[in-house]
Amino acid sequence: MVGLLLILTLVFSPLIILFSPLIITLILTVIKSRRRRKHAVGFFHPYTNDGGGGERVLWCAVKGIQELSPDLDCVVYTGDHDASPESLKARAIDRFGVELRKWIEDTTYPRFTMIGQSLGSIYLSWEALCKLVPVYYFDTSGYAFTYPVARVFGCKVICYTHYPTISLDMLSRVNARTSMYNNDQLVAKSVLLSHVKVIYYTIFSWLYGIVGSFAHLVMVNSSWTRAHIVKLWGNPDRIYRVYPPCDTSGLQVLPLKRPATPPIFISVSQFRPEKAHSLQLEAFALVIMNLDSALPTPKLQFVGSCRNEADEMRLHKLKDQAIELKVDGHVEFHKNVTYRNLVELLGAATAGLHAMTDEHFGISVVEYMAAGAIPIAHNSAGPKMDIVLTEDGKKVGFLAQDVEEYKDAMLQVIMMSESERLEMAEAARLRASNFSEQRFYQDYKAVVQQILCHSKKE
């Protein structure tokens, strides 16, 4: 035993000597930064221009803090180099209708790629916190591996988790060798690669559970997300379901009565692979093929934002697919529209399409319902468990899982009488009121107040 300790000492002593200056530097950096801690909330949100539901949560979370504790400054750690306090405020009101009542600081750091995001986020959070250390570190993008870093800097860690980075569903799909956007076809076809990926996922889920335990307060956006986070992170008493803010107030004033010809199907989402735009397009093409000649020809509108070149390429391929399916004359594409234009499009829509498997929540589905558009959503996760449920015993929309089911649901909408459509649209709008911004602020403030009051007592 003594001999083994001697060997280990001889082996690792050079490494300890080699890395001692680095370790000392890191420790001194943390001590120096903690002494300069600012009375602020630091929001870690790399993509402040993604245009999705996550960005709305960011700005509503900022506004909620400003209303709850006006003495706290709000700092946004962003990877957008052209971001400024003025541009961020303008974007919040223009794209989401959220008016921020005081100034926002922005701390910019380099953007990182999707490869190694979890590990890359550790370095980036370190870099961000070296520039400015807030009292509260608030992650609104799901980078759980940054929580231990924030704790080292002495921050109280709060997070709003839209979905777990890894879930038991992902593990089961790899085990079943099911090909999806997050399980490459090459891996799905290979027994060996599938086993390797299962091992990788198992190790990652264990690490994810450890870093998640560093959060003082956790908010999640749906019943599905909470169930998975509780299994992975444990300690359910600190995990609260707070439905995300959906702009139902501005949409619920739209008239339910609208022109029935042509029937308009709208699909609102970022142009990402998991949103399954191609499936929607295929289903729409089948609708055109199976449509009775006496019925009006519908129109399909894709509305969304592109985060990067990959999204742009995906949008281009979608346009090519519309041409191949010979429905391009009935399909429109609206990219990076303003909030005002989005409201106009929703106000004219007959129904709204959603096709993402295991969508953690599904803000677009709620927006359809609030606007008076009948939802046709994927039969899983958020839409299935929280949103497309009955309201006062009345049906509020449709759930579908494959091309045929989407086609059938769309044909049912087209064949509805005006009175049937209005009855379902009214029930859907009533259901949507459960997910309003007002409800978000009410639940969000009640949860966040706990940690703010606790910190003041300390």
Side-chain angles (χ1 to χ4, degrees):
M1 186 67 178
V2 175
L4 178 60
L5 290 174
L6 181 60
I7 292 172
L8 290 174
T9 302
L10 291 173
V11 171
F12 288 104
S13 289
L15 292 177
I16 294 172
I17 294 172
L18 179 65
F19 287 103
S20 289
L22 176 61
I23 294 171
I24 293 172
T25 300
L26 294 178
I27 293 173
L28 291 175
T29 299
V30 170
I31 294 173
K32 182 179 178 182
S33 298
R34 289 180 66 145
R35 287 175 178 172
R36 294 186 287 106
R37 184 182 297 127
K38 186 169 184 178
H39 190 59
V41 180
F43 291 87
F44 189 77
H45 198 99
Y47 295 95
T48 54
N49 64 348
D50 60 13
E55 189 183 346
R56 175 180 288 281
V57 168
L58 166 66
W59 297 127
C60 288
V62 171
K63 182 180 178 182
I65 289 292
Q66 292 175 345
E67 293 177 349
L68 199 58
S69 296
D71 59 317
L72 281 171
D73 291 333
C74 290
V75 179
V76 179
Y77 299 112
T78 173
D80 304 315
H81 294 284
D82 57 347
S84 67
E86 293 75 20
S87 66
L88 293 179
K89 284 181 66 176
R91 180 176 176 79
I93 187 67
D94 181 55
R95 186 64 69 92
F96 299 104
V98 176
E99 184 174 356
L100 305 177
R101 296 188 176 181
K102 59 182 288 189
W103 61 276
I104 303 172
E105 293 182 10
D106 64 288
T107 299
T108 304
Y109 55 83
R111 190 188 299 273
F112 52 94
T113 63
M114 294 296 288
I115 299 174
Q117 272 193 347
S118 295
L119 295 178
S121 65
I122 295 174
Y123 166 75
L124 291 168
S125 62
W126 173 276
E127 187 181 61
L129 289 166
C130 282
K131 291 184 177 181
L132 188 148
V133 179
V135 174
Y136 305 99
Y137 176 88
F138 200 146
D139 168 46
T140 52
S141 292
Y143 293 109
F145 280 76
T146 67
Y147 304 166
V149 179
R151 290 289 292 270
V152 167
F153 278 87
C155 303
K156 293 286 186 181
V157 178
I158 310 169
C159 67
Y160 189 96
T161 303
H162 300 272
Y163 57 91
T165 302
I166 190 167
S167 68
L168 301 179
D169 293 339
M170 292 167 66
L171 278 166
S172 63
R173 287 196 192 103
V174 177
N175 264 320
R177 295 168 62 191
T178 304
S179 177
M180 278 190 69
Y181 63 88
N182 58 1
N183 191 36
D184 189 83
Q185 190 173 6
L186 178 65
V187 175
K189 288 182 177 180
S190 170
V191 176
L192 176 61
L193 292 177
S194 292
H195 282 315
V196 171
K197 192 167 185 178
V198 167
I199 294 171
Y200 162 69
Y201 272 11
T202 302
I203 295 172
F204 189 89
S205 64
W206 175 71
L207 292 172
Y208 186 64
I210 291 174
V211 297
S213 67
F214 280 84
H216 292 92
L217 185 67
V218 180
M219 287 172 279
V220 296
N221 65 346
S222 69
S223 301
W224 181 87
T225 303
R226 187 179 189 278
H228 283 276
I229 290 296
V230 167
K231 287 179 182 177
L232 291 163
W233 291 1
N235 194 0
D237 292 340
R238 69 190 169 110
I239 302 173
Y240 299 84
R241 186 190 66 186
V242 177
Y243 288 131
C246 306
D247 189 14
T248 55
S249 59
L251 297 173
Q252 290 202 11
V253 297
L254 296 171
L256 291 178
K257 290 185 177 181
R258 56 197 59 175
T261 305
I264 298 175
F265 293 90
I266 191 170
S267 175
V268 181
S269 65
Q270 296 172 337
F271 290 103
R272 288 154 44 186
E274 63 267 30
K275 298 300 182 179
H277 294 94
S278 181
L279 181 148
Q280 297 172 47
L281 199 52
E282 289 177 29
F284 181 74
L286 287 178
V287 169
I288 299 295
M289 288 175 59
N290 291 273
L291 195 65
D292 190 292
S293 58
L295 294 172
T297 303
K299 180 190 295 184
L300 175 59
Q301 296 174 334
F302 286 111
V303 184
S305 59
C306 291
R307 302 163 301 166
N308 47 40
E309 188 176 345
D311 286 356
E312 293 283 358
M313 287 295 296
R314 202 168 290 114
L315 174 57
H316 182 73
K317 287 180 180 179
L318 200 61
K319 292 178 179 179
D320 289 342
Q321 184 183 4
I323 296 172
E324 291 171 7
L325 293 172
K326 298 179 180 179
V327 294
D328 53 300
H330 308 293
V331 180
E332 298 176 358
F333 297 90
H334 301 265
K335 186 182 76 170
N336 297 335
V337 301
T338 64
Y339 175 73
R340 186 175 301 167
N341 289 338
L342 174 62
V343 171
E344 291 176 1
L345 291 168
L346 286 170
T350 307
L353 299 179
H354 164 278
M356 179 178 171
T357 302
D358 286 340
E359 172 90 76
H360 36 88
F361 180 69
I363 284 182
S364 63
V365 180
V366 176
E367 290 179 337
Y368 298 154
M369 295 162 68
I374 294 172
I376 303 175
H378 196 274
N379 191 19
S380 64
K384 178 182 180 180
M385 297 173 70
D386 290 317
I387 304 174
V388 188
L389 307 177
T390 57
E391 185 68 26
D392 292 336
K394 296 180 180 179
K395 193 173 181 179
V396 302
F398 299 88
L399 293 170
Q401 203 154 348
D402 55 34
V403 172
E404 284 293 325
E405 290 183 0
Y406 277 95
K407 180 260 294 182
D408 292 341
M410 293 166 78
L411 285 173
Q412 286 186 61
V413 171
I414 294 172
M415 292 185 289
M416 275 183 175
S417 66
E418 179 65 6
S419 60
E420 289 174 329
R421 186 193 68 78
L422 283 173
E423 182 180 2
M424 186 174 288
E426 286 174 358
R429 175 168 283 180
L430 185 60
R431 177 72 191 157
S433 63
N434 292 295
F435 314 105
S436 64
E437 279 192 6
Q438 289 74 20
R439 175 68 179 271
F440 169 81
Y441 285 125
Q442 175 185 331
D443 295 345
Y444 169 78
K445 290 178 180 179
V447 173
V448 173
Q449 183 71 49
Q450 298 177 35
I451 195 168
L452 296 182
C453 290
H454 182 72
S455 296
K456 288 177 181 178
K457 288 178 182 179
E458 292 178 347

